[in-house]
Amino acid sequence: MQNHKILLAGATGYLGKHLLEALLANQIPTIALARNPDALESYAHALLQTTRVELTQAGSLEGILKGVSTVISTVGITRQKDGLTYMDVDYQANKNLLDAAKKAGVKKFIYVSAIAGDANRHLKIFEAKEKFVDCLKASGLQYTVVRPNGFFSDMKDFLNMAKGGTIYLFGKGKQQLNPIHGADLANAIVAQLPNAINEYTIGGPDVLRLQQIGNLAMRAWGKQPKIVYLPDWIRRFLLKSIRIFTSVKTYGPIEFFLTLMAEDHIAPSYGTHHLKDFFRQEVKQIRQHKHQGSRTK
């Protein structure tokens, strides 16, 4: 891949940083787009060019994609902020990037969406993502849509509950999934760069029930597992209520969580990172940060 130049959009996000590390480790020339390039100072490399861009403004992409062979976009928001909506970012920002890629003669566009997004277009988080996927498939470019089965970072909600002493699950907690570490997903994407794959789902090495994830989170804090199982009718009631009584900024992420956590989502396994180790490392960092903070007071 040394003769190819990659443009990476969303380089300062959770997955974006892992992708940047994987691309540079494989000696692949990369242009990293970011609203704040200063956040990438620690990634300084002879093969890396960082560029400040506002993807929601199409004009800011003028001339940036010259010589680029492949675009990788991880651009998207989980929680709406800065006055931007899912349509502004997950759809329009990516559409601006796709239009610029076509104009510049880019050969391939890789977009990271999410598992089951095509089957859950009614969810606000997926509505914009899948509208862009439709545009990408009709673009005439070679394309790959990557559908990860949730990130380890998404599982931090379990850690937050566990810190409070109790895990709350709907139903019996038997639903299964295999979330993936950002580093493993990044390595998989880079490994697939030369291949013509239009779409694939991918997950981590461990298929876990929700109750198992809850137990791992409790043990990471050194606590005995304590799980409260709530009737599923409460989940269904919440889904209906939040759409009526809250804004999309509030209900988008909650709607996503309540819907996908009620079903099995098992993707082909990949990687070497395990969720229990991620949880332990997160707790270690939290405690170290708290200790350092107390020492500076």
Side-chain angles (χ1 to χ4, degrees):
M1 294 295 298
Q2 283 85 350
N3 296 324
H4 298 271
K5 183 182 287 186
I6 303 295
L7 183 137
L8 175 62
T12 58
Y14 169 74
L15 176 59
K17 288 181 177 179
H18 285 296
L19 269 167
L20 190 54
E21 290 176 357
L23 289 165
L24 296 177
N26 283 273
Q27 299 297 305
I28 300 173
T30 303
I31 300 173
L33 303 186
R35 295 175 68 186
N36 178 22
D38 293 342
L40 300 175
E41 283 184 355
S42 61
Y43 296 86
H45 193 286
L47 296 177
L48 175 62
Q49 172 188 339
T50 60
T51 303
R52 186 185 306 275
V53 164
E54 290 283 351
L55 285 175
T56 54
Q57 300 172 14
S60 69
L61 288 163
E62 192 68 34
I64 288 176
L65 284 86
K66 184 178 180 180
V68 170
S69 61
T70 300
V71 169
I72 304 175
S73 177
T74 70
V75 172
I77 53 176
T78 301
R79 292 172 174 82
Q80 295 183 166
K81 55 186 178 180
D82 299 333
L84 297 172
T85 68
Y86 296 119
M87 281 297 174
D88 291 334
V89 180
D90 293 67
Y91 172 69
Q92 192 60 56
N94 281 299
K95 179 66 164 53
N96 291 343
L97 185 57
L98 176 61
D99 291 343
K102 291 167 65 176
K103 183 178 178 181
V106 170
K107 302 298 182 185
K108 186 175 183 178
F109 196 113
I110 299 170
Y111 175 61
V112 181
S113 182
I115 195 169
D118 48 345
N120 288 282
R121 289 171 176 257
H122 60 287
L123 302 183
K124 278 298 177 183
I125 281 183
F126 285 139
E127 180 184 14
K129 289 182 184 294
E130 294 307 313
K131 184 177 180 180
F132 174 70
V133 168
D134 291 342
C135 290
L136 179 57
K137 290 180 177 180
S139 68
L141 298 184
Q142 294 179 35
Y143 71 87
T144 300
V145 178
V146 184
R147 297 190 179 280
N149 193 8
F151 299 136
F152 280 10
S153 59
D154 297 329
M155 301 297 109
K156 288 182 182 180
D157 288 337
F158 285 90
L159 271 186
N160 293 335
M161 281 192 286
K163 185 178 181 180
T166 306
I167 297 289
Y168 296 92
L169 298 176
F170 293 102
K172 298 180 179 180
K174 302 291 187 182
Q175 301 90 336
Q176 298 181 95
L177 68 157
N178 57 326
I180 188 169
H181 194 285
D184 286 335
L185 179 56
N187 289 333
I189 291 172
V190 172
Q192 294 288 1
L193 281 174
N195 301 326
I197 303 175
N198 285 340
E199 195 163 350
Y200 63 91
T201 57
I202 183 171
D206 303 320
V207 177
L208 300 165
R209 293 189 177 95
L210 293 184
Q211 62 184 196
Q212 291 176 295
I213 295 175
N215 288 338
L216 291 177
M218 294 292 293
R219 292 192 179 106
W221 286 107
K223 299 179 180 181
Q224 289 298 313
K226 180 183 177 182
I227 299 178
V228 173
Y229 298 95
L230 303 173
D232 194 61
W233 68 262
I234 296 178
R235 181 189 66 84
R236 297 193 301 270
F237 174 76
L238 287 173
L239 275 172
K240 292 180 180 178
S241 300
I242 58 174
R243 270 187 172 260
I244 298 172
F245 298 111
T246 67
S247 68
V248 65
K249 179 179 180 179
T250 299
Y251 79 68
I254 300 173
E255 177 188 58
F256 164 77
F257 183 83
L258 290 178
T259 300
L260 266 67
M261 288 300 177
E263 306 167 349
D264 286 346
H265 291 287
I266 302 173
S269 295
Y270 183 90
T272 59
H273 290 77
H274 301 281
L275 187 61
K276 65 178 181 180
D277 299 325
F278 174 80
F279 278 169
R280 288 172 181 167
Q281 185 62 32
E282 285 294 309
V283 170
K284 181 180 179 180
Q285 290 177 354
I286 291 170
R287 284 174 170 162
Q288 286 177 342
H289 181 73
K290 182 178 179 181
H291 178 67
Q292 290 170 354
S294 65
R295 289 176 60 186
T296 58
K297 289 181 180 179

